[in-house]
Amino acid sequence: MVSTAKSRPRLMNTPERVFSWHGRKRSYFPTLLAILVVASAFMILLGTVRVKVVSPAMRAPRKASLIYLTDDLQGHALALQAQEGGPFPSRFEPAQWEGMAALESEVAAASRGPRNPYTPTLRDLPEEKLTPPTELSSKGETVFPKHLLTPRAVPDLANLKPAPTLYPLSGITPEAIPSTLPPFSAAVDGAMSSATWRFLVRLNSAGGVVDCVSLEKGGEAGGLELETWLRSIQFLTLSEKPFRWIALGIGFINQPNDGPDDH
């Protein structure tokens, strides 16, 4: 086989190899300096650092002794000796004491009552001569004044009618309530007369009722009639304010059917 590669012309003064395979001449001073530095540091550490080597302490082996006691006199003696000489003191058990049974029987016998119960005999008390009390004064006759019973007229319940009356609660004195109240024309039943009625009333400077508000049971039967009756009352003027609020309570008393009495 014939090679077709052509050799190129080589320039003058050029080496025959592309790379320089021979090593360069290097100085050994940096290597020696590094070795000296490391050796100096090692010698300094060797002279200053002290490593304390402590031998491990000897530990006592974990072991125990076991003594087997037989159920005989010698075994009981050794068991008692072990309890008394051991780290935990023995405790006296009264139930295990040999004389406990005899002591219990003696205590039970002493606590029993006598078989023949004691029966006391009764004797008569000696007779005593009692001295009569000395009278300091003679007994007199008690005389009380005679009480004459005055017959009272029994009211005719058929001619009585419950009528409302006023009593002050707040903002008004009893003297400011008129002595004569207008008649109450509405019917009064037992539920209405037994209920508690309280009203908040607003008066003008002349003592007339401007507003009337029920404080309780305003929506029940009789509340509207009582408000209408309160608006017709003329109170006494004891204040110079143009308007003032007062609180009144309403109760019921029996009055004749011919009209309200003065109270």
Side-chain angles (χ1 to χ4, degrees), residues 181-203:
L181 299 176
F184 187 70
S185 59
V188 180
D189 54 359
M192 183 178 179
S193 60
S194 62
T196 303
W197 299 94
R198 293 184 178 89
F199 289 89
L200 188 63
V201 180
R202 184 185 183 193
L203 303 179

Side-chain angles (χ1 to χ4, degrees), residues 41 96 107 146 149 161 178 204 263:
Q96 299 179 359
V107 172
K146 295 182 179 180
L149 298 177
K161 177 184 178 182
N204 54 18
H263 50 93

Side-chain angles (χ1 to χ4, degrees), residues 11 28 53 143 194 234:
L11 298 178
Y28 295 100
V53 179
V143 178
S194 62
Q234 183 68 29

Side-chain angles (χ1 to χ4, degrees), residues 37-97:
V37 171
V38 173
S40 302
F42 178 76
M43 294 301 293
I44 292 174
L45 292 177
L46 185 62
T48 56
V49 177
R50 294 291 184 271
V51 179
K52 185 177 181 181
V53 179
V54 180
S55 59
M58 298 298 294
R59 295 184 179 181
R62 300 183 62 182
K63 61 181 181 178
S65 300
L66 177 64
I67 300 175
Y68 177 75
L69 301 178
T70 58
D71 192 8
D72 53 2
L73 183 60
Q74 184 179 2
H76 288 292
L78 291 176
L80 181 60
Q81 183 179 0
Q83 291 180 358
E84 293 178 353
F88 302 100
S90 60
R91 183 175 58 181
F92 174 71
E93 296 291 342
Q96 299 179 359
W97 181 43

Side-chain angles (χ1 to χ4, degrees), residues 25-258:
K25 295 181 179 180
R26 294 181 297 178
S27 175
Y28 295 100
F29 179 75
T31 304
L32 294 176
L33 182 61
I35 294 173
L36 291 176
V37 171
V38 173
S40 302
F42 178 76
M43 294 301 293
I44 292 174
L45 292 177
L46 185 62
T48 56
V49 177
R50 294 291 184 271
V51 179
K52 185 177 181 181
V53 179
V54 180
S55 59
M58 298 298 294
R59 295 184 179 181
R62 300 183 62 182
K63 61 181 181 178
S65 300
L66 177 64
I67 300 175
Y68 177 75
L69 301 178
T70 58
D71 192 8
D72 53 2
L73 183 60
Q74 184 179 2
H76 288 292
L78 291 176
L80 181 60
Q81 183 179 0
Q83 291 180 358
E84 293 178 353
F88 302 100
S90 60
R91 183 175 58 181
F92 174 71
E93 296 291 342
Q96 299 179 359
W97 181 43
E98 298 177 356
M100 190 63 185
L103 182 61
E104 288 181 353
S105 60
E106 293 179 3
V107 172
S111 61
R112 296 193 188 98
R115 296 182 179 179
N116 298 326
Y118 170 73
T119 304
T121 58
L122 302 179
R123 295 187 302 174
D124 297 334
L125 295 176
E127 296 181 359
E128 296 182 1
K129 295 181 180 180
L130 300 177
T131 304
T134 303
E135 295 181 358
L136 300 178
S137 61
S138 59
K139 295 182 179 180
E141 182 181 358
T142 304
V143 178
F144 293 99
K146 295 182 179 180
H147 181 65
L148 300 178
L149 298 177
T150 304
R152 297 181 180 179
V154 179
D156 188 4
L157 299 179
N159 294 327
L160 295 179
K161 177 184 178 182
T165 181
L166 299 178
Y167 56 91
L169 294 178
S170 177
I172 189 172
T173 60
E175 293 78 11
I177 298 178
S179 58
T180 303
L181 299 176
F184 187 70
S185 59
V188 180
D189 54 359
M192 183 178 179
S193 60
S194 62
T196 303
W197 299 94
R198 293 184 178 89
F199 289 89
L200 188 63
V201 180
R202 184 185 183 193
L203 303 179
N204 54 18
S205 59
V209 178
V210 179
D211 295 323
C212 183
V213 180
S214 176
L215 296 180
E216 56 178 326
K217 298 184 179 181
E220 296 187 3
L224 183 59
E225 291 79 359
L226 289 175
E227 291 183 9
T228 305
W229 177 73
L230 282 174
R231 293 179 185 274
S232 63
I233 300 175
Q234 183 68 29
F235 292 87
L236 302 179
T237 56
L238 298 178
S239 177
E240 298 179 355
K241 297 180 180 180
F243 295 98
R244 60 193 178 102
W245 288 92
I246 62 174
L248 296 173
I250 299 179
F252 289 87
I253 58 174
N254 291 326
Q255 290 184 354
N257 285 332
D258 53 356

